[in-house]
């Protein structure tokens, strides 16, 4: 063999060897690459809570959110409050292209706008501009309408709901003045606004109210966004005679697939057992009935309770999950709220959760926050294995997970006479005749263990909910 030809052959052999080695290395590298759906978001943000780090507040310092989908992005507006001092007054806002990663944009206003400010200063000499509460964003034709609450200093029965408008979610915003107000002697409480649009006749309604006064509904003028009748304060549609009448943050969504309006309200205090209850109605004006057919305007408790304080393994858990906003995006529904970190209840994180509906047509939310994980066809074989299960209940402490095993023979390993079945995308979990859950199952991100998983969210016929996530075989 000629020397030149020999050298050429050796050269090509080495090329092949190097190609194989590089290919192997690339496969190893790909295997070790982080999951692209890992949100990589830390829940404890105390090290960046100072206002000098506000550019990094995307999912942080989030309280009383309201969400809307713009032309290209999602926007959230929220109460002025931060870990530590309130810092600024003017309505925080942020945006996202995927509902997972958020960019903090700053504040809508520089303080309380002029017209509501004059009202507060007139009725409370020495009034300080501390914060604007619980905004609500909606769009009417080509106009964005931002409703918001201005509370008195240490006097929640002095307050007003005001309105600002814009042609862009990025502003600028025009102060349209006060929509409704209250004085300490009034029997209603003008905070926590939200708007409902009647699907039949396009009438618009404002819900408002909180705590000792309950939740009211009053008709709006669609042209102005103000009250249709300035002297009309509306009617009571939700009330609670329990724990300081702690009910707040009403928001309603129409679900065309079910032909129902669903009103979500938050119970209790965000530093104890903050949780969300739901009623439904055929009309935006109500009555809103719970799962037992009980009117939410009557005194007492209502069910279902779809969120509560909870803790999965490897995490301190969440002190309260409440004051929600709701989003219909195509054929998907989302539940957006604050979550108070159990290890430090003054840290408030953004929670976006997928919302689905029970076979009986009641909303249920995911046990894990949304991470845009692709959905797959889930089989009975996928469901077998070890799970962390949580019964959501009223409690003076955390709803803690228990470990269960769904065996391939349809039994639940740790539960005497427990059983499960999965058919037509409904998982039925039986923990005895008194507690049978019908659950929806889907793919999600396991925020506590940093991996993809399968979750379920279920409900009994008396409105008790459960959550679960698959943690291994």
């Amino acid at each position: 063999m000629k020397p030149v030809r020999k050298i050429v052959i050796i050269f090509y052999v080495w090329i092949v060897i190097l190609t194989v080695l590089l290919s192997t290395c690339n496969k190893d590298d790909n295997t070790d690459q982080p999951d692209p759906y890992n949100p990589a978001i830390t829940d404890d943000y105390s090290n960046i809570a100072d206002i000098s780090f506000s550019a990094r507040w995307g999912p942080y310092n989030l309280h009383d959110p309201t969400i809307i989908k713009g032309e290209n992005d999602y926007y959230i507006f929220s109460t002025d409050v931060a870990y530590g001092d309130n810092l600024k007054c003017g309505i925080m806002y942020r945006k996202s292209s995927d509902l997972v990663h958020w960019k903090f944009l700053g504040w809508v206003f520089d303080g309380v706008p002029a017209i509501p400010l004059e009202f507060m200063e007139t009725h409370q000499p020495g009034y300080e501009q501390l914060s604007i509460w619980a905004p609500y964003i909606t769009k009417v034709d080509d106009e964005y309408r931002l409703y918001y609450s201005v509370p008195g200093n240490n006097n929640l029965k002095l307050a007003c709901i005001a309105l600002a408008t814009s042609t862009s979610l990025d502003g600028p915003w025009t102060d349209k003045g006060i929509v409704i107000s209250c004085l300490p002697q009034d029997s209603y409480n003008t905070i926590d606004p939200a708007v409902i649009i009647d699907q039949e006749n396009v009438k618009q309604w404002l819900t408002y109210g909180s705590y000792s006064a309950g939740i009211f509904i009053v008709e709006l003028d669609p042209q102005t966004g103000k009250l249709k009748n300035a002297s009309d304060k509306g009617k009571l549609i939700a009330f609670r005679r329990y724990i300081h009448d702690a009910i707040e943050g009403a928001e309603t969504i129409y679900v065309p697939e079910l032909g129902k309006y669903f009103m979500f309200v938050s119970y209790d205090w965000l530093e104890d057992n903050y949780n969300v209850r739901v009623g439904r109605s055929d009309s935006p004006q109500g009555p809103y009935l719970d799962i037992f057919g009980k009117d939410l305007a009557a005194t007492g408790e209502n069910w279902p309770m779809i969120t509560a304080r909870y803790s999965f393994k490897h995490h301190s858990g969440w002190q309260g999950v409440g004051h929600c906003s709701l989003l219909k995006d195509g054929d998907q529904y989302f539940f957006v709220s604050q979550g108070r970190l159990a290890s430090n209840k003054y840290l408030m994180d953004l929670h976006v959760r997928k919302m689905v509906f029970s076979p009986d047509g009641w909303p249920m939310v995911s046990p894990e926050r949304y991470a845009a994980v692709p959905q797959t066809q889930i089989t009975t074989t996928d469901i077998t294995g070890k799970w962390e299960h949580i019964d959501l209940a009223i409690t003076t402490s955390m709803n803690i997970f228990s470990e269960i095993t769904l065996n391939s023979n349809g039994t639940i390993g740790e539960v005497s006479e427990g059983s499960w079945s999965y058919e037509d995308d409904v998982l039925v979990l039986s923990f005895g005749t008194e507690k049978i859950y019908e659950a929806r199952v889907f793919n999600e991100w396991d925020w506590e263990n940093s991996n993809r998983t399968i979750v379920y969210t279920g409900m009994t016929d008396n409105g008790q909910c459960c959550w679960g996530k698959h943690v291994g075989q």
Side-chain angles (χ1 to χ4, degrees), residues 361-383:
W362 287 96
M364 307 181 297
V365 299
S366 172
E368 292 284 356
R369 285 165 281 171
Y370 180 72
V373 171
Q375 296 302 303
T376 63
Q377 183 65 47
I378 296 172
T379 67
T380 301
T381 301
D382 297 326
I383 290 174

Side-chain angles (χ1 to χ4, degrees), residues 26 63 271 299 350 370 396:
N26 285 337
H63 186 82
E271 293 183 16
T299 58
L350 168 61
Y370 180 72
T396 56

Side-chain angles (χ1 to χ4, degrees), residues 238-243 245-247 267-268 277 298-301:
F239 190 70
R240 187 180 182 220
R241 180 64 69 189
Y242 183 67
I243 310 181
D245 306 331
I247 182 173
Y267 271 21
D268 300 330
R277 311 294 176 100
T299 58
E301 299 289 286

Side-chain angles (χ1 to χ4, degrees), residues 20 24 53 72 81 95 110 181 186 209 235 246 269 311 320 326 328 339 355 358 380 392 431 465:
V20 171
T24 303
F53 296 101
N72 300 306
V81 64
K95 72 176 180 179
D110 183 13
S181 63
D186 291 326
K235 69 174 184 177
W269 171 234
S311 176
L326 308 160
K328 184 179 190 302
M355 186 167 74
S358 74
T380 301
L392 295 182
F431 295 90
C465 291

Side-chain angles (χ1 to χ4, degrees), residues 178-189:
I178 295 173
V179 176
I180 190 170
S181 63
C182 68
L183 298 175
Q185 65 268 25
D186 291 326
S187 60
Y188 50 91
N189 189 354

Side-chain angles (χ1 to χ4, degrees), residues 4 104 121 145 172 204 248 363 378 417 454-455:
V4 174
F104 184 76
E121 290 177 338
R145 294 178 177 176
Q204 294 183 20
E248 65 175 13
I378 296 172
E417 299 184 2
I454 300 170
V455 301

Side-chain angles (χ1 to χ4, degrees), residues 212-404:
S212 59
I215 310 298
F216 287 74
I217 186 168
V218 62
E219 189 173 357
L220 296 174
D221 180 345
Q223 298 302 313
T224 65
K226 301 286 192 70
L227 297 188
K228 184 175 182 179
N229 180 347
S231 63
D232 183 13
K233 307 306 177 185
K235 69 174 184 177
L236 185 72
I237 55 170
F239 190 70
R240 187 180 182 220
R241 180 64 69 189
Y242 183 67
I243 310 181
H244 311 297
D245 306 331
I247 182 173
E248 65 175 13
E251 183 161 332
T252 303
I253 189 170
Y254 178 71
V255 179
E257 299 91 333
L258 299 171
K260 296 283 187 181
Y261 297 86
F262 290 84
M263 183 170 67
F264 296 66
V265 293
S266 292
Y267 271 21
D268 300 330
W269 171 234
L270 56 85
E271 293 183 16
D272 49 51
N273 188 40
Y274 209 35
N275 63 89
V276 174
R277 311 294 176 100
V278 182
R280 66 186 183 186
S281 175
D282 295 324
S283 165
Q285 300 177 73
Y288 286 89
L289 307 180
D290 74 359
I291 200 166
F292 296 110
K294 182 179 177 182
D295 192 339
L296 266 63
T299 58
E301 299 289 286
N302 295 105
W303 300 89
M305 178 179 73
I306 63 170
T307 70
R309 62 168 74 177
Y310 74 97
S311 176
F312 282 117
K313 194 174 183 179
H314 301 138
H315 196 277
S316 69
W318 296 96
Q319 176 71 25
V321 180
H323 200 119
C324 65
S325 184
L326 308 160
L327 174 69
K328 184 179 190 302
D329 187 15
D331 60 355
Q332 294 192 91
Y333 290 86
F334 294 94
F335 176 100
V336 181
S337 72
Q338 63 174 303
R340 292 279 178 150
L341 194 61
S343 59
N344 185 340
K345 62 187 178 184
Y346 301 109
L347 292 172
M348 61 208 90
D349 290 33
L350 168 61
H351 284 204
V352 177
R353 298 171 187 267
K354 186 175 180 178
M355 186 167 74
V356 295
F357 292 86
S358 74
D360 292 331
W362 287 96
M364 307 181 297
V365 299
S366 172
E368 292 284 356
R369 285 165 281 171
Y370 180 72
V373 171
Q375 296 302 303
T376 63
Q377 183 65 47
I378 296 172
T379 67
T380 301
T381 301
D382 297 326
I383 290 174
T384 59
K386 297 178 182 178
W387 290 76
E388 290 178 18
H389 172 91
I390 295 177
D391 293 310
L392 295 182
I394 299 174
T395 175
T396 56
S397 59
M398 280 286 171
N399 289 296
I400 302 293
F401 74 94
S402 60
E403 295 180 339
I404 64 172

